[in-house]
Amino acid sequence: MSTKMPVNLTINGETFNVEVEPRWLLSDVIRHQVGLIGTHVGCEQGVCGACTVLIDGKPERSCLIFAVQAQGHQITTVEGLTQNKPDLTPLQQAFQNHHALQCGYCTPGMLLTATALLETEPHPNEHRIREALSGNVCRCTGYQFIVDAILEVAGDSKEASR
Amino acid sequence: MTEQAMRPQFMGARVKRVEDPRLLTGQARFLDDIDVPGMLEVAFVRSPYPAARIMGIDTKAAKAAPGVRAVIAFEDCPVVLWQKDAYEVGQPVLAHGEVRYVGEPVVAIVAENRYVAEDAAELVTVHYEPLEPVLDMYRSIAENPRRVHENASNVFFYKKYTTKGFDEAFPAAAHHLQETFRTTRQTAVTLEPRGTAAMPDPASGRMTVYASTQSPHRIRGDLAELLGWPENQIRVIVPEVGGGFGMKANTYPEDVVVVWAAHQLRKPVKWVSDRTESLLTDVHARDDIHEVEVAFEDDGRIIAIKDHLMADGGAYPAYPFSGAVGETSLASRVLPGPYQIPYIETEIHCTYSNKTPLGAYRGVWGPIASFVQEGIVDRVARAVGRDPAEVRRINMIRPDQFPFRNAAGMVYDPGSYGESMEEALGLIGYDTFRTRQTELRKEGIYRGIGISVFVEPTAMASSEAGSVGYESVFIRVEPTGKVTAAFGLGPTGQGHETTMAQLIADQVGVNVEDVVILHGDTDSAPFGGGTGGSRSGPIGGGAALVAGREMRQRLVKLAAHLLEAAEEDIELGNGQAWVAGVPDRAMTIQQLAEIAYTHVKRIPAGMPIGLELVARYQPERSVSFSNGTHVAEVDVDIRTGMVQVLNYVVVNDCGRLINPLIVEGQIYGGVAQGIGSAFLESLRYDEDGQLTTTSLMDYLLPEATDVPRMMTKHLVTPSAGEGGIKGMGEGSLIGAPAALVNAVSDALEPFGVMVNRLPVTAEDIRQWILA
Ligand code: FES
Ligand code: FES
């Protein structure tokens, strides 16, 4: 049995003091210790991208990081996108408008990956978007409507970007 | 009144989903998000052998580990998943004396949390005496190297069918060809893995089961039967489900063990599969061989097909139905597809092996049968030297032939078979394609086009999911005039909370946002079959229309009485009831509802108090066929064997659409899965019977860069059922693999290549080119 140690995690601008075992994954701690269940786990093999969070603004797989390693970094989960406001962000709204989610399990990861993309590159074309999403698996949508949603926010018409 | 009901406002509209906001903000609760204080977690010790006798199990160390609450073996929980009228054997929920596939659960550890449970699982020692595994279908049919189950033949399903006149017609045709088509195991890979949680309710003594399932009432019935409990002692709640695709239509060993453990320990207990467990133990699919012979004429007319279908059902029949039977028996009946092929002979062998049980994956039989059927047409076209589109035209069922009885006796209701193909060919620019193709070949670019015209049996009275043939709706207009309706469906991303609300809103005359749809709770929903076999739209939607209409009739009667008008003159809409032509003589539905519940003296004589009712709908026809055409354009790199999908067109006909946005989402998602089926996804067993693809690094799923932008067009040939709706959840995956691999065959025509396997890999292609 490993012993627990305290860590301070900064998630969505708030600080959480939690006791964790060194082997606990960041994904598990975010979900079960902190209680932010919007971060999903689809493989714990670093492949599916469902567990994507932003660490210092960059998309990372929280199933590949131990919680203790995340101390001192800014973590953003899907719950942090709306910043405690009731309205959806333009990206979330675009996802709804374009039917970019079905079961919704991949959606938090998709939103965070897309948020980071639009942050560094506000007007990506379809090709760039597909490349950026290529580490996030969606089993339901076939990606097309996700791409359309991101294109809408990128301010690019579908035709122009092809 | 009827006229107005036929003027739908929401049905057919691209209504945005009401499900989305909670999913977009991370507020939705999936199975692993169900957590209560004191909840225990389970880890399973699983078989490392495909076949072995269990000589002993030592659980002492595991039991003594801190944090472990229980260690369970078959002796403790002696339940067998066995559908006795259909199969001679069943699967013990924990292995009993022998293991029969890698990943089979042997021991369950219940502990404080998953980490502790997994540590303790490592402390369990199981002594095995390995047996020679049964891995090959042909050998299994001959009971070689041995029987998987000592007391049951390896062939657990056999069937033969011959159209009258086949024996004369087959040899009489001018030409014949042969091919063996092979599909390799694939599986649904829902992004959310399977899982179950069970909580005994100390107050009532009942058991609440959270299940990630497509069929809430079915799993409740299964648990009641298997555990010997009265059904009303079990409440099944289905939380948000992260994809199902048929795979979550079964009841699995782990479900039973979790519920049993919660009952024994009087504690909440949860198990969630990890990805390796999923790939090992979620039902597999598509392990089939078709040995085909075809008889045809000079012009490409197909006269007869002979097919020997084999499917490897794995170690046990999945509960309560084997995917092997589903994949073969329906394939044998729909094999002629949209073509008027007059004669067919099919023979089916389903066998046991030491592999994971075969169950359902979206389309079940369909992707296999379409791949065979469209592969046959392309081979005939190449043999007679005609264009594949032309040979399809010659064989296509004509509009004047509906209802059409195919060679296997299946009756097709009207569809747009030829029209869908012509539209699709037009959209992709087939006219000019052959010229482009010839030019490109001169430059060393191998481009091909593949056509797949599919039929999709939907809304089946009995589907392989074992569901009932009807659906039920409990509908209530609340005292405030808002509408609540509960269904027995089990959506896994299809958006029923939106589509069913659209249908009901039109009927009751309220806005779609005033309708709340409940599902997935057996305490509130009327008995239903659940979601699977593309039945929720036509049957669930049909039930929504019937329930809405009956509620509408109640409201009209009440309004007519209160407004002192004839029932025929009452109109409903926008939350109001009014007298036709006199919009001032109106009442809101809220006012009507208030009277119906509280001022009940004002209700007309004979009308029940309140506004609540249950309606059921079972379509009159036992099946309704959707149809469509997929056309794929691909480039094959002959050096690397890599395939790139360049263009993709779908023309789809699923009768009247409830919500085109959702239909298109289903299509795009199914085509992406088709790209996986055609080129990427493969569950591989080595010669020792070990599954070698146990992570998503080995089992490859299509990514955003593997999928092209697709184009869709809808055609509408209404069904005879309620609303003219046909099902459409599976058609896209039924049509896609055939279109994609036929495009590869077309691209590689100069090399004489005809793809005969799913998936086709870069390695296969390189070898064919070298040969
Ligand atoms: S759960 Fe982390 S990548 Fe799949
Ligand atoms: S919406 Fe289901 S996995 Fe993406």
Side-chain angles (χ1 to χ4, degrees):
Chain A
M1 273 312 93
S2 352
T3 44
K4 290 190 186 164
M5 53 191 288
V7 289
N8 288 332
L9 295 177
T10 312
I11 306 178
N12 307 328
E14 268 183 77
T15 306
F16 296 89
N17 299 311
V18 284
E19 296 263 307
V20 304
E21 289 182 24
R23 62 175 177 164
W24 285 1
L25 302 174
L26 179 60
S27 51
D28 281 345
V29 171
I30 289 174
R31 291 175 44 73
H32 301 302
Q33 258 57 45
V34 180
L36 294 172
I37 56 170
T39 300
H40 296 155
V41 171
C43 69
E44 291 190 327
Q45 296 165 341
V47 184
C48 76
C51 65
T52 303
V53 298
L54 302 184
I55 297 188
D56 301 328
K58 285 218 262 326
E60 301 282 357
R61 281 143 211 268
S62 60
C63 76
L64 292 184
I65 303 168
F66 295 114
V68 289
Q69 296 172 290
Q71 180 148 277
H73 297 278
Q74 297 287 333
I75 302 167
T76 308
T77 68
V78 66
E79 290 90 345
L81 292 177
T82 35
Q83 303 190 324
N84 298 325
K85 289 192 214 77
D87 295 342
L88 300 180
T89 65
L91 183 65
Q92 288 168 326
Q93 193 58 64
F95 265 56
Q96 184 179 26
N97 294 346
H98 289 275
H99 186 29
L101 57 151
Q102 289 180 28
C103 80
Y105 201 74
C106 69
T107 310
M110 290 286 178
L111 287 168
L112 290 162
T113 299
T115 300
L117 170 71
L118 293 166
E119 195 68 34
T120 50
E121 208 179 313
H123 306 292
N125 63 18
E126 171 155 2
H127 178 71
R128 279 291 302 134
I129 293 170
R130 284 185 187 268
E131 270 182 3
L133 293 182
S134 68
N136 288 74
V137 171
C138 176
R139 193 56 159 163
C140 301
T141 65
Y143 304 104
Q144 184 149 324
F145 283 156
I146 299 179
V147 172
D148 288 350
I150 300 171
L151 279 171
E152 183 195 302
V153 179
D156 232 333
S157 81
K158 241 179 283 170
E159 279 61 38
S161 68
R162 257 188 252 172
Chain B
M1 183 191 102
T2 29
E3 193 211 324
Q4 204 195 25
M6 282 162 55
R7 242 188 304 153
Q9 202 185 343
F10 295 110
M11 182 176 176
R14 301 175 83 88
V15 175
K16 284 180 228 156
R17 298 202 322 171
V18 303
E19 289 89 342
D20 289 358
R22 64 174 188 259
L23 293 161
L24 284 162
T25 51
Q27 303 302 308
R29 270 176 203 278
F30 291 88
L31 195 114
D32 192 37
D33 307 329
I34 307 295
D35 207 358
V36 297
M39 187 170 239
L40 304 173
E41 289 195 81
V42 180
F44 286 91
V45 176
R46 296 180 180 277
S47 170
Y49 291 101
R53 232 167 253 128
I54 298 175
M55 308 309 288
I57 302 179
D58 182 356
T59 58
K60 250 188 258 102
K63 276 185 177 145
V68 171
R69 298 303 170 80
V71 178
I72 306 165
F74 180 78
E75 285 65 37
D76 310 303
C77 177
V79 179
V80 179
L81 301 175
W82 189 3
Q83 191 58 263
K84 293 192 179 142
D85 358 318
Y87 306 101
E88 277 179 86
V89 297
Q91 175 168 8
V93 293
L94 294 164
H96 183 212
E98 190 172 327
V99 288
R100 294 189 174 84
Y101 63 96
V102 175
E104 179 169 356
V106 181
V107 173
I109 313 277
V110 190
E112 265 168 18
N113 64 45
R114 179 71 180 243
Y115 286 94
V116 173
E118 276 177 12
D119 287 345
E122 307 229 318
L123 301 174
V124 173
T125 320
V126 184
H127 300 283
Y128 294 104
E129 190 180 281
L131 297 164
E132 189 177 354
V134 178
L135 299 171
D136 178 83
M137 263 187 260
Y138 291 101
R139 295 190 67 207
S140 177
I141 293 175
E143 310 275 18
N144 279 325
R146 56 186 194 88
R147 282 184 163 187
V148 175
H149 300 272
E150 218 176 303
N151 300 320
S153 163
N154 281 348
V155 176
F156 65 90
F157 181 84
Y158 177 83
K159 199 170 162 188
K160 191 165 175 179
Y161 174 88
T162 311
T163 320
K164 212 160 157 273
F166 175 90
D167 291 339
E168 297 74 44
F170 190 87
H175 306 281
H176 297 85
L177 62 79
Q178 290 188 356
E179 181 65 273
T180 300
F181 295 89
R182 183 74 167 93
T183 56
T184 305
R185 284 187 168 225
Q186 298 178 331
T187 184
V189 192
T190 57
L191 203 55
E192 182 207 23
R194 281 193 291 127
T196 310
M199 298 180 202
D201 175 7
S204 66
R206 295 170 83 220
M207 181 68 76
T208 300
V209 179
Y210 287 85
S212 191
T213 183
Q214 299 172 212
S215 196
H217 284 94
R218 240 271 324 289
I219 199 167
R220 183 184 66 158
D222 289 348
L223 289 169
E225 193 180 317
L226 293 164
L227 294 166
W229 300 345
E231 227 162 21
N232 60 3
Q233 291 302 308
I234 305 174
R235 173 186 188 184
V236 169
I237 301 179
V238 182
E240 215 80 58
V241 180
F245 311 116
M247 186 276 287
K248 288 183 183 166
N250 292 93
T251 296
Y252 285 85
E254 295 89 349
D255 300 326
V256 178
V257 173
V258 165
V259 176
W260 186 89
H263 178 71
Q264 291 297 308
L265 298 168
R266 312 306 299 156
K267 283 275 184 195
V269 175
K270 174 165 80 175
W271 168 76
V272 175
S273 171
D274 68 26
R275 186 53 63 190
T276 300
E277 287 182 293
S278 295
L279 289 163
L280 283 169
T281 68
D282 290 357
V283 287
H284 290 179
R286 319 265 201 266
D287 197 354
D288 298 57
I289 299 173
H290 286 237
E291 293 177 332
V292 175
E293 290 175 59
V294 189
F296 55 101
E297 301 294 355
D298 290 335
D299 59 355
R301 251 182 324 122
I302 301 171
I303 304 301
I305 296 176
K306 186 174 177 175
D307 187 0
H308 179 198
L309 301 87
M310 283 160 272
D312 178 342
Y316 304 95
Y319 189 80
F321 59 91
S322 167
V325 178
E327 286 184 354
T328 50
S329 55
L330 205 49
S332 74
R333 304 193 63 201
V334 194
L335 197 66
Y339 307 113
Q340 37 178 320
I341 299 166
Y343 302 100
I344 190 167
E345 180 168 277
T346 51
E347 186 181 18
I348 301 174
H349 283 96
C350 295
T351 53
Y352 290 126
S353 72
N354 289 113
K355 296 181 185 173
T356 301
L358 217 65
Y361 171 34
R362 195 177 194 177
V364 190
W365 63 278
I368 306 163
S370 275
F371 157 65
V372 172
Q373 151 220 315
E374 292 299 88
I376 289 171
V377 179
D378 272 15
R379 279 164 178 76
V380 168
R382 203 174 279 183
V384 299
R386 298 187 71 158
D387 187 273
E390 201 43 47
V391 170
R392 283 179 172 77
R393 286 187 190 107
I394 290 171
N395 287 289
M396 196 77 73
I397 296 166
R398 293 185 315 270
D400 61 292
Q401 291 174 295
F402 290 114
F404 182 87
R405 178 180 293 272
N406 82 5
M410 279 295 254
V411 179
Y412 301 161
D413 50 338
S416 51
Y417 301 176
E419 189 187 350
S420 75
M421 184 177 84
E422 301 306 337
E423 287 282 350
L425 293 176
L427 285 171
I428 207 143
Y430 194 71
D431 275 2
T432 55
F433 176 76
R434 295 291 167 200
T435 335
R436 278 185 281 143
Q437 185 181 39
T438 317
E439 289 305 310
L440 288 166
R441 273 186 195 161
K442 286 183 198 148
E443 298 165 33
I445 296 171
Y446 290 86
R447 185 161 297 180
I449 207 160
I451 307 169
S452 167
V453 189
F454 71 92
V455 295
E456 176 189 9
T458 72
M460 306 220 355
S462 70
S463 86
E464 69 287 336
S467 48
V468 293
Y470 61 88
E471 273 305 324
S472 328
V473 179
F474 169 74
I475 183 171
R476 173 169 63 221
V477 176
E478 307 282 359
T480 55
K482 307 287 185 204
V483 181
T484 308
F487 290 74
L489 300 173
T492 57
Q494 296 88 341
H496 294 161
E497 290 170 39
T498 307
T499 47
M500 298 301 145
Q502 287 177 257
L503 295 172
I504 287 175
D506 282 339
Q507 296 299 320
V508 180
V510 296
N511 285 320
V512 70
E513 48 289 2
D514 292 333
V515 183
V516 167
I517 301 296
L518 306 175
H519 55 80
D521 183 343
T522 56
D523 271 8
S524 66
F527 193 89
T531 293
S534 301
R535 64 191 300 285
S536 296
I539 307 183
L545 289 170
V546 173
R549 196 160 57 228
E550 286 179 13
M551 183 55 75
R552 172 186 198 86
Q553 281 155 5
R554 280 241 206 134
L555 289 167
V556 164
K557 205 178 180 94
L558 182 59
H561 177 75
L562 295 166
L563 293 168
E564 295 173 355
E567 285 179 32
E568 308 77 76
D569 293 337
I570 298 295
E571 298 204 356
L572 287 184
N574 282 325
Q576 303 246 330
W578 68 92
V579 181
V582 201
D584 289 356
R585 274 174 68 199
M587 291 178 83
T588 62
I589 289 178
Q590 178 170 7
Q591 287 169 324
L592 291 172
E594 247 175 62
I595 290 164
Y597 286 100
T598 47
H599 309 294
V600 297
K601 287 216 178 85
R602 297 181 62 194
I603 296 175
M607 201 178 135
I609 292 172
L611 294 168
E612 292 181 331
L613 59 90
V614 176
R616 295 195 168 75
Y617 172 63
Q618 170 143 0
E620 259 167 54
R621 299 185 65 95
S622 58
V623 54
S624 179
F625 281 83
S626 286
N627 71 276
T629 299
H630 290 219
V631 185
E633 199 176 320
V634 306
D635 269 354
V636 182
D637 184 326
I638 59 162
R639 286 175 309 278
T640 61
M642 298 295 283
V643 179
Q644 200 195 346
V645 187
L646 304 169
N647 276 310
Y648 204 98
V649 166
V650 180
V651 175
N652 198 68
D653 187 343
C654 57
R656 291 226 170 79
L657 284 78
I658 306 173
N659 185 333
L661 203 55
I662 284 179
V663 169
E664 286 156 24
Q666 290 287 318
I667 292 173
Y668 295 146
V671 172
Q673 288 179 332
I675 290 172
S677 287
F679 304 128
L680 300 168
E681 299 179 33
S682 178
L683 291 161
R684 291 207 170 77
Y685 282 88
D686 67 13
E687 58 281 11
D688 301 324
Q690 291 291 337
L691 185 68
T692 59
T693 45
T694 56
S695 86
L696 294 183
M697 277 164 283
D698 311 304
Y699 189 87
L700 302 177
L701 299 173
E703 294 171 352
T705 42
D706 297 319
V707 182
R709 179 159 285 280
M710 302 162 250
M711 206 192 306
T712 49
K713 181 174 171 146
H714 304 290
L715 298 176
V716 178
T717 311
S719 76
E722 274 294 335
I725 305 165
K726 294 177 176 177
M728 60 77 51
E730 296 166 286
S732 48
L733 182 50
I734 292 173
L740 291 159
V741 299
N742 279 356
V744 171
S745 299
D746 186 52
L748 298 180
E749 190 256 349
F751 301 93
V753 169
M754 269 289 177
V755 178
N756 58 2
R757 65 189 66 164
L758 276 184
V760 53
T761 63
E763 187 55 36
D764 295 331
I765 290 171
R766 269 205 311 265
Q767 281 181 6
W768 285 327
I769 286 169
L770 290 177

